[in-house]
C-alpha cells in the first residue's frame, strides 16, 4: 500500500473547500491500509486543517502565510511543491478547484512526476489507478502511470465528502516555503467578474436551476418580457443559493448581442457542448429538454422541469416530475414563498 497525500489550499474564508474533503475520500480509498497524509496551504491554513480532525490523517503538513492568501501561480506552485516534497508520498490527490487546477501540472513537473485531471474514480487492484471520462462522457478510461509522484486532481462532486469526527489530529508540521520575492511577477490587485458581477455558477450548490430560451420568447400576450424574466431568475438564484445553468439557445442569443440575461455566459451552458455539473437536484424552466442539453444532466440525480408544453423532451422520460405550467407564474410564486 502506498502513502497517499491529500494536498489542498484553504479557501478565501480560511476554511477547507468542500472539494478537499471529497478529495480526502479518494485519497483514503487509494491509501487502503497505507498512510494518509494531508497538507494545506494558504492564509489561515493551520486553522482550516482542523476540519480534518478524525478523518484518519496520520501526518499533517501546513504552509500558513499571508503571502499565500491570493490564488497566484508563483506562490501556490511553490507552496504545493514544498508540501508534496515534505510528505514524499508517491501518490498525491488534490481537489479539482480552479485554484488547484491552475498549478497542478507545474507542481507535478517540479516534483519530477506526472499529473492527471478530471478524475472521477480511483481503484487499487494491482496498484493505484484513476478513472476519468473522455470525449464528453462518452468513454470511461482507467489509467495507471509509472511516474511518481502521481498527482491526481479529483473532479468536485465525484466523491462523498469525508466526515470529520473531531478526534485528535496529529500535530501540524509547518513547512517552510521559499516564495519568489514580492510574490513573483504577478501582483493581485483584486477581482473583476466577467459579467455584471453576479456569481451564478456555484458548483457546491444543492440545486442546479436551468433557464432555457423560453424565458426570452413571446409570451401569451404576444410580447417577450426579458426584464421580468431576469428579475425572476435572479430573485430565485439569490434566495435559493442555486447554481445557474442554461440551454445553448439562450447563451447563443447573448453572443448575438440580443437583449438577454446580463449575467449569462457560455460558461453557464449545460449539455453536450457545455458543462456536466453534479448537483443533487435540478430544475429546468422554459427549456425544451432536447437530448444535446439533457445529456449534460447525467449526474443530476433528481430532475424537475416547468414547461408550457406537455410533450416537451422532459416529459418523455427525462425528468422525474414535469409541471405543465407558465414558468413566469410558477417562479413568481416560488420567489414569494422563499421571501416569506
Ligand atoms: C451538436 C449539437 C450540440 C448541442 N449542444 C447543446 C448543449 O450543450 N446544450 C444545450 O442546451 N443545447 C445544445 N444543443 C441545442 C439543443 O439541441 C437545443 O436546440 C437547445 O437545448 C434548445 O434550447 P431551449 O430548450 O432553451 O430552447 P427551445 O427549444 O426554444 O425551447 C424553449 C422552451 O420554452 C418553453 N416555454 C416558453 N415559454 C414558457 C413559459 N412561460 N413557461 C414555461 N415554458 C415556456 C417552450 O414550451 C419550449 O419548450 C446542441 C445541438 C447540437 C446540434
Amino acid at each position: 500500500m502506498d502513502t497517499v497525500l491529500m494536498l489542498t489550499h484553504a479557501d478565501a474564508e480560511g476554511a477547507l473547500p468542500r472539494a478537499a474533503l471529497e478529495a480526502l475520500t479518494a485519497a483514503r480509498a487509494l491509501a487502503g491500509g497505507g498512510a494518509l497524509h494531508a497538507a494545506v496551504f494558504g492564509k489561515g491554513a493551520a486553522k482550516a486543517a482542523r476540519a480534518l480532525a478524525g478523518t484518519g490523517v496520520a501526518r499533517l503538513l501546513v504552509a500558513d502565510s499571508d503571502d499565500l492568501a491570493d490564488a497566484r501561480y508563483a506562490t501556490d506552485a511553490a507552496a504545493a511543491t514544498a508540501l508534496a516534497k515534505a510528505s514524499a508520498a508517491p501518490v498525491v490527490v488534490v481537489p479539482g478547484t480552479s485554484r488547484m487546477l491552475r498549478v497542478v501540472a507545474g507542481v507535478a513537473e517540479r516534483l519530477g512526476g506526472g499529473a492527471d485531471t478530471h478524475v472521477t474514480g480511483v481503484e487499487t487492484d494491482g496498484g493505484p489507478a484513476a478513472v476519468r471520462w473522455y470525449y464528453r462522457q462518452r468513454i470511461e478510461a482507467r489509467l495507471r502511470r509509472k511516474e511518481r509522484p502521481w498527482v491526481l486532481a479529483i473532479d468536485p462532486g465525484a466523491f462523498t465528502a469525508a466526515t470529520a469526527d473531531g478526534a485528535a489530529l496529529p500535530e501540524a508540521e509547518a513547512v517552510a516555503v521559499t516564495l519568489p520575492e514580492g510574490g513573483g511577477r504577478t501582483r493581485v490587485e483584486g477581482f473583476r467578474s466577467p459579467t455584471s458581477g453576479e456569481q451564478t455558477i456555484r458548483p457546491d450548490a444543492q440545486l442546479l436551476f436551468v433557464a432555457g430560451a423560453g424565458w426570452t420568447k413571446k409570451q401569451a400576450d404576444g410580447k417577450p418580457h426579458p426584464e421580468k424574466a431576469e428579475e425572476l431568475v435572479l430573485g430565485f438564484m439569490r434566495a435559493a443559493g442555486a447554481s445557474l445553468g442554461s440551454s445553448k439557445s439562450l447563451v447563443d442569443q447573448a453572443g448575438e448581442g440580443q437583449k438577454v440575461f446580463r449575467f449569462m455566459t457560455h460558461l453557464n451552458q449545460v449539455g453536450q457542448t457545455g458543462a456536466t455539473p453534479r448537483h443533487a437536484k435540478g430544475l429546468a424552466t422554459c427549456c425544451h429538454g432536447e437530448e444535446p442539453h439533457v445529456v449534460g444532466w447525467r449526474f443530476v440525480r433528481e430532475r424537475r422541469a416547468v414547461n408550457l408544453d406537455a410533450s416537451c423532451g422532459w416529459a418523455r422520460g427525462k425528468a422525474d416530475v414535469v409541471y405543465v405550467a407558465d414558468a413566469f407564474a410558477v417562479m413568481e410564486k416560488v420567489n414569494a414563498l422563499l421571501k416569506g
Side-chain angles (χ1 to χ4, degrees), residues 213 217 219 247-248 269-270 272-273 288 290 293 307 326-327:
K217 296 210 166 146
Q219 294 300 309
S247 68
K248 182 163 165 42
Q269 185 185 319
V270 171
Q272 184 185 331
T273 44
H288 195 72
E290 282 186 33
H293 173 74
N307 201 305
D326 179 352

Side-chain angles (χ1 to χ4, degrees), residues 11-56:
D11 68 16
E13 283 77 44
L16 275 195
R18 202 174 92 112
L21 292 171
E22 295 170 5
L24 190 69
T25 302
R28 219 154 48 179
L30 275 171
L36 178 63
H37 294 183
V40 186
F41 65 89
K43 182 180 176 184
K47 185 166 151 268
R50 286 191 219 140
L52 296 167
T55 54

Side-chain angles (χ1 to χ4, degrees), residues 182-268:
R185 281 177 299 178
T186 309
R187 221 174 46 245
V188 179
E189 295 189 339
F191 290 93
R192 205 183 310 160
S193 222
T195 53
S196 62
E198 192 74 36
Q199 174 64 41
T200 58
I201 299 174
R202 302 177 178 124
D204 283 348
Q206 277 287 306
L207 178 72
L208 170 71
F209 178 85
V210 161
W215 281 108
T216 59
K217 296 210 166 146
K218 284 183 188 162
Q219 294 300 309
D221 60 359
K223 293 183 202 145
H225 298 284
E227 282 84 13
K228 182 70 187 166
E230 188 168 306
E231 176 201 317
L232 289 172
V233 172
L234 270 185
F236 179 74
M237 301 302 301
R238 288 177 186 142
S243 190
L244 181 64
S246 172
S247 68
K248 182 163 165 42
S249 296
L250 188 58
V251 289
D252 281 355
Q253 286 176 15
E256 296 306 320
Q258 294 175 26
K259 171 76 187 118
V260 282
F261 299 154
R262 282 173 290 128
F263 46 88
M264 199 73 104
T265 74
H266 277 94
L267 292 176
N268 294 93

Side-chain angles (χ1 to χ4, degrees), residues 47-311:
K47 185 166 151 268
R50 286 191 219 140
L52 296 167
T55 54
V57 169
R59 191 175 173 207
L60 179 62
L61 304 156
V62 164
D64 191 339
S65 160
D66 286 357
D67 294 332
L68 295 170
D70 292 312
R72 173 175 40 193
Y73 187 89
T75 42
D76 282 358
T81 306
L83 288 165
K85 278 189 178 157
S87 157
V91 179
V92 179
V93 173
V94 304
T97 57
S98 58
R99 183 167 178 178
M100 214 66 215
L101 286 176
R102 201 178 310 156
V103 297
V104 75
V107 171
E109 176 64 21
R110 290 175 192 199
L111 295 170
D116 281 282
T117 55
H118 295 297
V119 173
T120 54
V122 294
E123 292 175 4
T124 50
D125 271 358
V131 178
R132 66 157 292 176
W133 295 84
Y134 285 97
Y135 298 106
R136 295 216 168 263
Q137 283 79 38
R138 285 189 183 81
I139 299 173
E140 190 183 46
R142 270 163 195 73
L143 310 170
R144 292 182 202 283
R145 284 196 192 275
K146 290 201 180 79
E147 292 98 325
R148 294 291 182 271
W150 188 18
V151 186
L152 301 173
I154 308 289
D155 259 1
F159 284 82
T160 314
T163 44
D165 67 12
L169 252 186
E171 196 166 328
E173 299 169 40
V175 172
V177 181
T178 313
L179 296 173
E181 207 174 317
R185 281 177 299 178
T186 309
R187 221 174 46 245
V188 179
E189 295 189 339
F191 290 93
R192 205 183 310 160
S193 222
T195 53
S196 62
E198 192 74 36
Q199 174 64 41
T200 58
I201 299 174
R202 302 177 178 124
D204 283 348
Q206 277 287 306
L207 178 72
L208 170 71
F209 178 85
V210 161
W215 281 108
T216 59
K217 296 210 166 146
K218 284 183 188 162
Q219 294 300 309
D221 60 359
K223 293 183 202 145
H225 298 284
E227 282 84 13
K228 182 70 187 166
E230 188 168 306
E231 176 201 317
L232 289 172
V233 172
L234 270 185
F236 179 74
M237 301 302 301
R238 288 177 186 142
S243 190
L244 181 64
S246 172
S247 68
K248 182 163 165 42
S249 296
L250 188 58
V251 289
D252 281 355
Q253 286 176 15
E256 296 306 320
Q258 294 175 26
K259 171 76 187 118
V260 282
F261 299 154
R262 282 173 290 128
F263 46 88
M264 199 73 104
T265 74
H266 277 94
L267 292 176
N268 294 93
Q269 185 185 319
V270 171
Q272 184 185 331
T273 44
T276 316
R278 291 171 183 268
H279 302 276
K281 297 181 180 186
L283 177 66
T285 52
C286 296
C287 164
H288 195 72
E290 282 186 33
E291 188 55 28
H293 173 74
V294 179
V295 74
W297 282 61
R298 67 169 60 205
F299 300 119
V300 177
R301 274 160 272 157
E302 207 183 308
R303 308 162 172 201
R304 297 188 180 203
V306 185
N307 201 305
L308 284 171
D309 180 1
S311 50

